[in-house]
Amino acid sequence: MTEHPFLRACRRQPTPFTPIWLMRQAGRYMAEYREVRARYSFLELCHDPQAAAEVTVTAVEKLGVDAAIIFADILLLLEPLGVGLSFAAGDGPTLARPLRTPADRDRLQRYDVADALGYVGDAVRAARAGLAGRVPLIGFAGAPFTLASYLIEGGGSRNYIHTKSFMYHHPAAWHALLDRLAQLINAYLRLQVTAGADALQLFDSWVGCLAPDDYREYVLPHSRRALAGISALAPVIHFGTGTGGLFPLLREAGGDVIGVDWRLDLDTAWAYIGHDRAVQGNLDPVALFASPADIRRRAAAILQRAAGRPGHIFNLGHGILPQTPVDHVRALVDAVHELSAR
């Protein structure tokens, strides 16, 4: 498996074609996923290792992608803290008891990652067995800032007013919170590698809302701690959106591969990151609503910007949207394989 094109690309080694996988490749846009979801709530599906493995493997079989990603959610790590995590249909995640003051941090429950999240490790083992060595399996976790933003906002946010206010007004409590999250993340990533994950992705989905100075002061030490020692175990992809102004800092925080969204040309981003790191990206997820011919043209443009340099993993700039036509996703996968064949 170490010689699989996806893992070779993570190490910036030559590959016979550009490997591709897609964030949220197991999701509502796929009929097979909806059939499984009809039997489970979202959290029930995440908690059932066999069902989570089933949708993980099915996405690979239906799309022909070059890596699987375990079906889970970044907020599972918050659930044992006792914050009342729930997922309402169409509304996304909500936390019944968000953290708004330093005193709120003290009521967060302590837990052992192996005990509380062992079902994710079981799902990794089941998915690895189901994949039968066909493609590598990616595990993942949310990054300290993104998890803290959910904890403090109580859900998604447009401007992160509560999060930034907490950060600015209670810096000691902020750093203590992120330090605790970083320790949990590190243990969680190690759990997934031990269970059989071949690579890992750290999702800092919302960190692009920060100015570089704020990232440097309030986030960088904690992201670095979350990833401490992990690259020695498995390749790490460090992903965020809207992070064009943060690439050197994300690189400093850690990661063998840096995720690039669609807001910056791939070659420009790669030069900014440095060619001694691999990159992942960077098609706009909404581009999958274009015609298959246009999708092929857009894929070709991204591949041209990568210029055949070892270390490019094709992906979207964020996750597949629920309304996306499945045949358009397959068209993208086929186009990337055909156009990048060396």
Side-chain angles (χ1 to χ4, degrees):
M1 188 59 69
T2 59
E3 293 304 304
H4 188 280
F6 168 77
L7 293 174
R8 287 184 62 86
C10 289
R11 302 191 300 267
R12 294 181 295 108
Q13 296 173 337
T15 57
F17 56 87
T18 299
I20 175 173
W21 71 278
L22 304 166
M23 287 176 274
R24 292 197 205 120
Q25 61 192 23
R28 286 177 288 167
Y29 75 103
M30 189 176 286
E32 293 83 357
Y33 172 84
R34 294 195 299 272
E35 290 173 5
V36 175
R37 273 284 278 117
R39 308 195 303 266
Y40 299 89
S41 71
F42 180 76
L43 278 176
E44 286 172 343
L45 178 52
C46 290
H47 290 165
D48 187 308
Q50 293 301 322
E54 177 185 345
V55 295
T56 298
V57 174
T58 298
V60 172
E61 294 172 342
K62 295 298 180 181
L63 301 178
V65 289
D66 299 304
I69 183 166
I70 193 64
F71 184 84
D73 191 271
I74 63 169
L75 301 188
L76 296 180
L77 193 142
L78 301 184
E79 190 179 17
L81 295 175
V83 292
L85 174 67
S86 64
F87 289 81
D91 294 329
T94 58
L95 279 65
R97 294 175 288 280
L99 187 157
R100 294 288 170 80
T101 70
D104 290 336
R105 181 178 59 86
D106 297 332
R107 63 172 168 75
L108 296 177
Q109 296 177 15
R110 299 277 174 180
Y111 70 88
D112 178 78
V113 167
D115 290 339
L117 297 169
Y119 62 88
V120 177
D122 292 339
V124 168
R125 281 183 279 271
R128 189 176 174 94
L131 291 167
R134 286 172 288 179
V135 299
L137 177 63
I138 304 168
F140 68 90
F145 175 82
T146 290
L147 293 183
S149 74
Y150 275 106
L151 271 177
I152 295 169
E153 300 290 339
S157 177
R158 186 179 298 273
N159 296 307
Y160 301 92
I161 293 172
H162 293 298
T163 302
K164 292 184 179 183
S165 295
F166 191 103
M167 189 172 73
Y168 297 147
H169 290 285
H170 310 292
W174 170 267
H175 286 295
L177 172 64
L178 265 70
D179 182 68
R180 181 174 174 191
L181 291 173
Q183 293 181 57
L184 292 172
I185 293 161
N186 191 275
Y188 185 44
L189 293 173
R190 290 174 183 273
L191 178 150
Q192 293 177 70
V193 172
T194 299
D198 299 291
L200 299 161
Q201 178 155 309
L202 186 73
F203 281 86
D204 214 350
S205 306
W206 310 136
V207 78
C209 74
L210 292 180
D213 281 346
D214 282 343
Y215 183 94
R216 189 177 291 108
E217 179 176 355
Y218 295 106
V219 178
L220 176 58
H222 306 292
S223 291
R224 184 187 288 129
R225 180 164 189 177
L227 292 176
I230 301 298
S231 284
L233 305 176
V236 172
I237 304 164
H238 196 163
F239 167 79
T241 61
T243 52
L246 302 176
F247 283 143
L249 296 171
L250 265 65
R251 171 198 166 104
E252 187 178 345
D256 306 282
V257 185
I258 304 298
V260 179
D261 73 15
W262 63 98
R263 298 173 179 90
L264 198 62
D265 290 335
L266 187 78
D267 52 348
T268 302
W270 206 344
Y272 191 27
I273 292 164
H275 292 135
D276 60 342
R277 290 290 188 278
V279 295
Q280 178 176 280
N282 68 332
L283 184 69
D284 181 349
V286 181
L288 289 175
F289 291 85
S291 68
D294 195 20
I295 292 169
R296 186 180 181 89
R297 178 186 65 80
R298 292 169 183 271
I302 292 171
L303 291 168
Q304 185 174 15
R305 291 186 181 279
R309 181 180 290 111
H312 177 215
I313 299 163
F314 204 105
N315 208 313
L316 304 177
H318 207 185
I320 297 177
L321 298 169
Q323 305 87 352
T324 305
V326 176
D327 58 335
H328 288 201
V329 181
R330 293 196 192 101
L332 173 65
V333 174
D334 291 343
V336 170
H337 286 156
E338 294 167 12
L339 294 168
S340 67
R342 318 199 212 285

